[in-house]
Amino acid sequence: MGGPGGLRQARRLCHWGPLVALAVVAVCSATAMADAALWYWPLDTAGGSVNFVVLLNWTVMILYNYFSAMFVGPGYVPLGWTPENSQDCMYLQYCKVCQSYKAPRSHHCRKCNRCVMKMDHHCPWINNCCGYQNHASFTLFLFLAPLGCIHASFIFVMTMYTQLYNRISFGWSSVKIDMSAAKRDPRTNIPFGLSAFAASLFALGLALGTTIAVGMLFIIQMKVILTNKTSIESWIEEKAKDRIQYYQTGETFVFPYDMGSKWKNFKQVFTWSGIPEGDGLDWPVRDGCHQYSLTIEQLKQKADKRVRSVRYRAIEDYSGVCCPVTKGVKTFFTTPCTEEPRIALSKGDLILATRGLKLVAPQLCLVKRNIEMSSGI
C-alpha cells in the first residue's frame, strides 16, 4: 500500500466513521472473548474452545468484509469516458468535474469527487461509496455484524448471570451465594469485579444497538438488491411515478435492470468468485427496455426539476461553513445535519431552489444538495 494511492487509502481511516465502527468492533469482540475465556466458558473445555474460535471467526470475517468495502471501493467511471457509439451521448448526462459522460447507473459523488459506477450511496462508516465493486462486501458486512453482535450479547448476558449467580465481587467485599441449583463453579483466579461488570454491561448495550441499527440497514440493502436496484435508483423510480402522475403523460416507466427473478437479481451482486458480473458500464436489461431507459428518465426528471425550480436572491453573505453561528439561533439549529458540501454565496447572488423545502433565505444558502447556482452548475 505504498505511494500516493496507499497514502490516500490510509487516510480513509482518519475519519470519524471508520474510527467509530472499528472501535465498536474492537470493544464488542475483545470484551466477548475476555468474558468467555475468563468467566463464562473457559478454554480448557471443548465447548469453550469452539465458542472462542467462533467468536474469533466472526471478528475476522466482519473486518475482512469491512476493509474490502472500504479499500476496494465502488469502482469509478474512467475519466473522459464516452460511449462507443457517439450518438448514445444524447441519452447521457455529462459530468463537468470528471470531464466524461455518466455511464448508465453511475452518479457523481461530491465526497469522492468522482463518478461512481452503480452508486448506491456514500457511506460515512466506511468513508467511501457503496457501488458496483464493493456492494457485495458491504452487504456481507451488514449481515455478519449483527450475527457477531448477537453471539457476543449472549456471552455478555450469560457471563453476568453466572457470575452474579455464583459470586458477587465488587472489589470491597466478596459475598458467596450458596444455591444448590448453581452447577457452574467459577474456575478463574481473576474476580469478576465492578469494572468487569460495567464493561460487560456497556458492551451489551453497544452490541444490541449495533444489531438493531445495522440489521435494519441490511434489510434495506437486501430489498434493493433483490430487485436489482440501488437506493438512488429506487428514489429515481419513485420520482418517475410522481412525474408521470403530475403531468398525466400516460407513460409507463419500467425499471430496466430488474431481471424478473430475485435469484437472478441476487447473482448480479453476489458471485462465488467475489467479483461482480459485468464491467460496471454496460448492464443486461429486461425485455422491452434498452441500455438507456433509466438515463432517459433521469434527463426528463432533470428538465422537470429546472422547470419547477424557484429563483431566490441571497440576502446575506455566506462563507460556506457547516455551522453558521453568525446567522441566528433558528438557522443554526435548523441546519440539516449532513456531510454534503456547502457553497459560499455573496449578497445578491441568484440561486435556484430545486427541492420543495420551506426554508428561509439564509438556510437556502446552506444546503448544496437543494440548490443550483443560476449560472448552470
Side-chain angles (χ1 to χ4, degrees), residues 118-302:
K118 195 191 174 187
M119 178 178 174
D120 185 88
H121 67 288
H122 184 92
C123 179
W125 303 109
I126 63 173
N127 195 21
N128 208 338
C129 277
C130 173
Y132 163 67
Q133 290 185 347
N134 65 351
H135 203 173
S137 55
F138 178 77
T139 306
L140 284 173
F141 164 72
L142 297 181
F143 173 69
L144 294 169
L147 293 182
C149 287
I150 290 173
H151 188 181
S153 298
F154 174 79
I155 298 299
F156 300 144
V157 171
M158 295 306 298
T159 298
M160 290 185 289
Y161 171 75
T162 55
Q163 290 302 309
L164 295 180
Y165 187 74
N166 288 276
R167 176 176 299 178
I168 302 177
S169 177
F170 289 156
W172 62 85
S173 64
S174 181
V175 181
K176 293 184 178 180
I177 305 174
D178 183 17
M179 294 183 178
S180 59
K183 296 181 179 181
R184 185 179 298 277
D185 182 23
R187 286 171 285 180
T188 177
N189 295 324
I190 300 177
F192 186 75
L194 179 61
S195 58
F197 175 80
S200 298
L201 190 62
F202 174 76
L204 174 61
L206 207 59
L208 292 177
T210 302
T211 300
I212 297 172
V214 179
M216 292 177 63
L217 292 177
F218 170 73
I219 293 173
I220 293 172
Q221 283 298 308
M222 285 306 301
K223 284 183 177 179
V224 297
I225 287 175
L226 293 178
T227 55
N228 202 16
K229 300 174 185 176
T230 64
S231 300
I232 294 177
E233 289 168 350
S234 296
W235 174 238
I236 292 173
E237 187 178 34
E238 289 298 319
K239 289 196 295 182
K241 295 177 181 178
D242 293 340
R243 182 186 64 81
I244 293 171
Q245 184 179 10
Y246 181 81
Y247 288 106
Q248 297 292 313
T249 60
E251 301 174 64
T252 300
F253 176 75
V254 178
F255 186 74
Y257 305 114
D258 187 348
M259 297 290 98
S261 166
K262 292 183 178 180
W263 175 243
K264 291 181 180 179
N265 292 335
F266 182 84
K267 290 193 297 182
Q268 288 288 309
V269 177
F270 296 96
T271 60
W272 289 111
S273 64
I275 301 174
E277 293 188 358
D279 59 2
L281 299 173
D282 296 311
W283 301 91
V285 295
R286 63 188 301 168
D287 295 338
C289 301
H290 63 83
Q291 189 66 219
Y292 302 109
S293 293
L294 185 66
T295 60
I296 292 172
E297 173 59 33
Q298 289 178 261
L299 290 173
K300 290 180 180 179
Q301 292 181 12
K302 188 171 184 179

Side-chain angles (χ1 to χ4, degrees), residues 83-103:
E84 293 183 3
N85 187 349
S86 59
Q87 294 182 348
D88 292 339
C89 293
M90 63 183 295
Y91 303 124
L92 300 172
Q93 298 182 65
Y94 186 78
C95 179
K96 296 179 181 179
V97 178
C98 299
Q99 294 293 302
S100 63
Y101 285 92
K102 296 182 181 180

Side-chain angles (χ1 to χ4, degrees), residues 286-347:
R286 63 188 301 168
D287 295 338
C289 301
H290 63 83
Q291 189 66 219
Y292 302 109
S293 293
L294 185 66
T295 60
I296 292 172
E297 173 59 33
Q298 289 178 261
L299 290 173
K300 290 180 180 179
Q301 292 181 12
K302 188 171 184 179
D304 177 49
K305 185 169 66 172
R306 290 191 178 278
V307 169
R308 291 204 250 176
S309 62
V310 180
R311 186 183 295 263
Y312 287 89
R313 186 180 299 275
I315 61 174
E316 297 180 25
D317 293 338
Y318 171 62
S319 62
V321 296
C322 292
C323 299
V325 292
T326 61
K327 300 301 179 183
V329 176
K330 181 179 179 180
T331 300
F332 177 78
F333 284 105
T334 56
T335 300
C337 184
T338 171
E339 285 194 318
E340 289 291 333
R342 275 70 165 165
I343 58 175
L345 293 176
S346 299
K347 183 177 179 180

Side-chain angles (χ1 to χ4, degrees), residues 20-34 152 156 199-200 202-204 206-207:
V20 171
L22 293 174
V24 171
V25 173
V27 170
C28 292
S29 299
T31 307
M33 292 178 187
F156 300 144
S200 298
F202 174 76
L204 174 61
L206 207 59

